[in-house]
Structure formats: structure tokens, C-alpha cells
Amino acid sequence: MASSNIFFIIAIVTVFAIPSSLATEFVVGDEKGWSLDFDYQAWAAGKEFRVGDKLVFRYTPGVHDVVRVSGVEFQRCEAVNNTDPLTTGNDVITLLTPGRKWYICSVPRHCAARNMKLNITVLSEVGSPFAAPGPIPGSQTPSSSTRGSAVFSFHGWIAFM
């Protein structure tokens, strides 16, 4: 009896722990980093950003910065809400809520003239009861199919046990 209770507790803890451990760390711009004249929208295309994932902005400190802005500020390439910019050169932002997110470099002319801006949509956490429905079969990207397979296999294993 005690061993079945322990197994049940371990199973419940594991069900909640595994999805959060599937969080992905995205280095914005990959090897190019957060820099001038890079197409960040093309970089983000096909990527699946989820609650719990991290964005890492790498750049030379003192040359660039990162500011989270509203959609209107993003379109205008100006941060007007007196938001303090991130300036370390290795800024890590954990995506805490689903929805649209906008980031710019607030150094003059870097956003508007040199394309230092990123717009993403963050989905619910993998395994969340509020997760969006999955993609149409045959249209999955490698990142979504990898995550989905890992979660499905794990939950299938738990159900099997």
C-alpha cells in the first residue's frame, strides 16, 4: 500500500515537472546575436516560443540594449513608457505569460534604420491545460514535433504504468 502511494506521488510530481524542464533557451539571432541589419522576424519564423522559454540577447555592452515595448512602440521604434533598458550584453528574459511580445534596441536609429527589433508570440506552456491546440498533422516544425513527442511519450509511459 505504501509503495503504491509513493509511486502515485512520484508520478504526479513528474507530470508537473517534465513540461517545465522542456523549456527552451533561444539565443536571439543565433551566432549573429543582437546586432545591426539582421532579420529577426525571419529568425523567429518557424520557432515555437512557449511560457517558460528564455530569450538570450547577446551583444556588446554599451553599443546596444534591449527594451520590451508595446505593439505601438514597436511600430514606431521608440520606447516611451520610461522602461529601463537591459544593458548587460547577455540579457536573459524568461517568457512568463502567453501573448505577443515586442523588443527593440533603444539606441537611436538602431531599431528603425538598422532593424534591431523582435516581435514574437508566446504560447502556453507545454502540458498546460490552457495550451493551444496542436498543429495540423504533416505541418509540424521540428521544434514542435520534438516537444510534442517528448511530452506524449512521457504521458503515455505514465498511463502505461
Side-chain angles (χ1 to χ4, degrees), residues 1-14 158:
M1 180 73 157
S3 65
S4 65
N5 286 342
I6 290 172
F7 176 76
F8 179 73
I9 290 169
I10 291 171
I12 294 297
V13 168
T14 306
I158 291 296

Side-chain angles (χ1 to χ4, degrees), residues 106-159:
S106 69
V107 173
R109 299 182 30 85
H110 285 197
C111 177
R114 306 297 296 271
N115 206 35
M116 284 190 74
K117 55 187 178 177
L118 172 66
N119 169 21
I120 63 171
T121 300
V122 178
L123 304 173
S124 298
E125 187 175 16
V126 173
S128 166
F130 303 107
I136 298 168
S139 68
Q140 294 180 333
T141 61
S143 63
S144 63
S145 63
T146 302
R147 287 183 192 206
S149 297
V151 172
F152 177 76
S153 298
F154 173 74
H155 290 289
W157 180 81
I158 291 296

Side-chain angles (χ1 to χ4, degrees), residues 38-85:
F38 184 80
D39 188 348
Y40 291 99
Q41 292 320 115
W43 171 83
K47 290 180 175 56
E48 194 173 87
F49 302 96
R50 293 204 172 265
V51 169
D53 288 349
K54 296 177 189 304
L55 296 178
V56 180
F57 290 84
R58 292 193 176 135
Y59 56 92
T60 304
V63 176
H64 304 297
D65 63 20
V66 179
V67 181
R68 182 168 177 207
V69 295
S70 70
V72 171
E73 291 171 308
F74 180 83
Q75 289 178 339
R76 293 181 181 160
C77 275
E78 52 185 43
V80 295
N81 284 338
N82 298 323
T83 304
D84 289 329

